[in-house]
Amino acid sequence: MSASKRDELIQKALNIFYRDGFHATGMDKIVKETGISKTSMYKHFRTKDDLIIATLRLRDELFRNQIFRRVEELGKTPKDQLLALFDVLDEWINGVEFNGCMFIKASGEYPLHSSPIHATAAEHKKLFLGFMLDIATQAGAKNPNELAEQLLLLKEGAIVTAHIRGPEGVIAPARAAAALLIDAQID
């Protein structure tokens, strides 16, 4: 399988895992839906866990790039960007493809912190926190670590709530709370 076929397999598997979950998706299902033979699949991925990690890494790269770029488009200053994150979340959770957070799902299905899948999901959240910390620092927050952690908790809570309850009315209160936290930290 060429690199482009491998990439295509990862993208298709990502979509299947995101739609159906990790434990509920067997390799037979992936083979059937992707059209890739088991032999070809196992040439590149020794185990299903290896394929899951590859899909999580791809999702991380695509998602962070999309979110970060959009936050920078909407927020002209670092302070504006902190709040713009919630506008971007609103766009995402109200989009047709929203099916919760793949990383929250992965950590739920693989709850042991020693699991490489759990660790990959946790790394995504750590990178996202780093992004928020950078912006909070640039914005001149009195305590950028605290603000980044608080905003991350609001973000994660909004995503989980939107997934469980539906997106209606989720972002407005999260955004309002974020505005209070941001105003308390940044003059």
Side-chain angles (χ1 to χ4, degrees):
M1 184 178 347
S2 68
S4 63
K5 285 288 187 189
R6 181 182 188 277
D7 293 344
E8 182 181 335
L9 167 63
I10 295 169
Q11 179 63 57
K12 287 180 178 180
L14 185 158
N15 294 335
I16 296 165
F17 287 136
Y18 185 57
R19 181 190 71 212
D20 299 338
F22 300 102
H23 290 314
T25 302
M27 293 301 265
D28 289 337
K29 183 178 201 172
I30 293 172
V31 165
K32 181 179 178 184
E33 289 196 33
T34 62
I36 305 292
S37 72
K38 272 191 181 181
T39 303
S40 294
M41 188 173 308
Y42 284 112
K43 281 182 184 176
H44 288 281
F45 301 102
R46 292 181 309 110
T47 66
K48 179 181 165 185
D49 287 3
D50 291 343
L51 178 59
I52 291 171
I53 290 168
T55 63
L56 288 171
R57 287 181 178 150
L58 176 62
R59 176 69 176 173
D60 169 65
E61 179 184 338
L62 296 173
F63 187 77
R64 282 187 306 112
N65 286 339
Q66 176 187 3
I67 297 295
F68 295 178
R69 184 174 50 252
R70 190 73 179 122
V71 163
E72 290 169 358
E73 288 172 5
L74 293 179
K76 300 307 175 204
T77 68
K79 183 178 179 181
D80 292 342
Q81 289 173 0
L82 289 170
L83 203 52
L85 172 64
F86 293 88
D87 298 326
V88 175
L89 286 176
D90 194 39
E91 293 172 356
W92 175 50
I93 69 169
N94 283 290
V96 295
E97 295 182 12
F98 177 75
N99 191 21
C101 175
M102 191 168 182
F103 304 96
I104 294 170
K105 290 178 179 185
S107 65
E109 288 194 47
Y110 296 87
L112 296 178
H113 289 227
S114 59
S115 162
I117 293 170
H118 187 97
T120 303
E123 181 64 19
H124 167 77
K125 299 303 181 183
K126 181 179 175 184
L127 292 169
F128 216 101
L129 178 62
F131 171 72
M132 296 171 75
L133 177 58
D134 288 346
I135 297 173
T137 301
Q138 291 171 27
K142 295 171 188 163
N143 187 337
N145 290 317
E146 179 183 71
L147 181 58
E149 288 281 0
Q150 291 170 335
L151 295 177
L152 183 68
L153 287 170
L154 281 174
K155 169 194 160 295
E156 297 302 322
I159 293 168
V160 171
T161 301
H163 183 67
I164 292 171
R165 192 174 80 192
E168 189 67 31
V170 171
I171 293 299
R175 191 180 194 284
L180 292 171
L181 292 169
I182 292 165
D183 286 344
Q185 286 264 353
I186 302 168
D187 297 323

